[in-house]
């Protein structure tokens, strides 16, 4: 484990993992982030299970041990299973995931790996499967998830070993 | 024009989700005047992120970067118009964009030396946003986004 680069202890812990984290040092952005994040999970049109697949694909690609361990109640309640989660790996194209789910993951992979290289065929397939509102939703979601998984890495203190699963609700 | 709707700006695309668009704007705007780190420094880092991505779309903080600073940015390592605090943030920015796992304690400490732990957290969050917007613009194929 690397050493944390910020040693923040809230004066009045709230029990909320985000509010009590180093992000509490910047309350000006913390509040709008929490409001936006909650809305991403609750406003649709993508389901919480689809959003969790996006979040976990990002977590695995970024290598955020904390993010990988979390399972949001909202996604589990929407039907996401560990069997499905196990298929969100580099071989997802050959998995038993649905065509729609595979397209979601391909969108995330392009965002993370080479966003300028989306070819016309995949763009056309994505546009046929998802509405403009759905693509905007997945776009905001992946930026948000990526921003905060990279934040966790950049702040240091990341364990090297995998953590046990942590079931929790989306922080408010 | 994007490949999924008739829109050629970031804001026009975001408007496709009327619930999230104003909340996204609130989040983004929260970085415009933070007490933890000067807006001018964040704007300079935003420009550098765009340069690294080869993305020529207009940046939110463009008005806060002088023409002189912008000219110096491509060679910031050796240009005296870039101050030491800016240099610390730009070095952190470059590693953040290229490989976030490669950030060293020395690079983080250099930012903290000028802006404290609060400034480091603010910079890291802002970089996530800058990096994310550049990537989205490229993925959406907005005009100017893929200028490399």
């Amino acid at each position: 484990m690397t050493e944390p680069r910020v040693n923040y202890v809230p004066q009045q812990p709230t029990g909320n993992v985000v509010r009590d984290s180093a992000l509490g040092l910047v309350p000006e952005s913390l509040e709008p982030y929490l409001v936006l994040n909650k809305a991403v999970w609750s406003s649709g049109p993508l389901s919480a299970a689809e959003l969790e697949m996006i979040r976990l694909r990002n977590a695995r690609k970024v290598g955020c041990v904390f993010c990988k361990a979390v399972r949001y109640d909202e996604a589990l309640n929407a039907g996401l299973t560990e069997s499905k989660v196990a298929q969100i790996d580099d071989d997802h194209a050959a998995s038993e995931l649905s065509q729609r789910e595979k397209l979601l993951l391909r969108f995330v992979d392009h965002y993370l790996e080479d966003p300028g290289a989306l070819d016309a065929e995949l763009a056309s397939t994505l546009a046929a499967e998802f509405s403009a509102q759905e693509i905007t939703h997945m776009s905001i979601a992946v930026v948000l998830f990526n921003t905060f998984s990279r934040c966790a890495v950049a702040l240091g203190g990341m364990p090297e070993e995998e953590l046990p699963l942590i079931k929790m609700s989306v922080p408010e | 024009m994007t490949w999924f709707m008739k829109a050629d700006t970031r804001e026009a695309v975001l408007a496709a989700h009327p619930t999230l668009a104003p909340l996204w704007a609130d989040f983004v705007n929260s970085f415009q005047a933070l007490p933890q780190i000067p807006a001018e420094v964040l704007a300079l880092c935003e420009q550098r992120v765009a340069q690294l991505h080869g993305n020529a779309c207009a940046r939110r903080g463009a008005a806060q970067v002088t023409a002189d600073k912008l000219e110096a940015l491509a060679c910031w390592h050796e240009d005296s118009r870039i101050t030491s605090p800016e240099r610390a943030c730009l070095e952190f920015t470059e590693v953040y964009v290229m490989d976030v796992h490669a950030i060293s304690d020395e690079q983080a400490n250099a930012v903290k030396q000028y802006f404290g732990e609060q400034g480091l957290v603010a910079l890291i969050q802002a970089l996530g946003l800058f990096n994310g917007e550049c990537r989205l613009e490229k993925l959406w194929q907005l005009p100017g986004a893929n200028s490399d």
Side-chain angles (χ1 to χ4, degrees), chain A residues 96-110:
Chain A
E96 295 177 353
L97 297 173
S98 71
Q99 177 68 11
R100 179 178 169 90
E101 291 164 341
K102 289 177 184 177
L103 283 171
L104 270 180
L105 299 181
R106 289 182 73 185
F107 181 90
V108 176
D109 285 353
H110 264 285

Side-chain angles (χ1 to χ4, degrees), chain A residues 26-67:
Chain A
V26 190
E28 295 82 357
S29 61
L30 175 62
E31 291 305 326
Y33 158 67
L34 286 169
V35 172
L36 173 62
N37 188 52
K38 185 68 179 176
V40 162
W41 285 92
S42 62
S43 66
L46 296 182
S47 72
E50 289 174 324
L51 290 164
E52 188 74 324
M53 294 182 74
I54 294 172
R55 192 186 67 77
L56 289 170
R57 181 63 184 156
N58 169 75
R60 290 176 178 182
K61 294 285 281 184
V62 172
C64 175
V65 175
F66 299 123
C67 310

Side-chain angles (χ1 to χ4, degrees), chain B residues 96-113:
Chain B
Y96 176 95
V97 171
M98 290 184 283
D99 180 3
V100 71
H101 288 275
I103 294 169
S104 69
D105 289 339
E106 289 71 23
Q107 287 158 341
N109 288 339
V111 174
K112 287 194 288 187
Q113 177 187 345

Side-chain angles (χ1 to χ4, degrees), chain A residues 3-4 9 13 26-28 38 43 51 79-80 89 91 105 130 135 148 162 164 166 169:
Chain A
E3 288 298 311
V9 179
V26 190
E28 295 82 357
K38 185 68 179 176
S43 66
L51 290 164
L80 187 69
D89 60 14
D91 295 324
L105 299 181
F130 299 102
I135 292 171
F148 286 89
E162 297 294 320
I166 306 165
S169 296

Side-chain angles (χ1 to χ4, degrees), chain B residues 7 15-16 22 24 31 36 43 50-51 57 62-63 74 80-82 100 102 110 118 143:
Chain B
W24 176 262
F31 291 93
Q36 295 85 357
Q51 285 181 350
C57 290
S80 61
R81 290 172 290 185
I82 301 296
V100 71
Q118 298 94 325

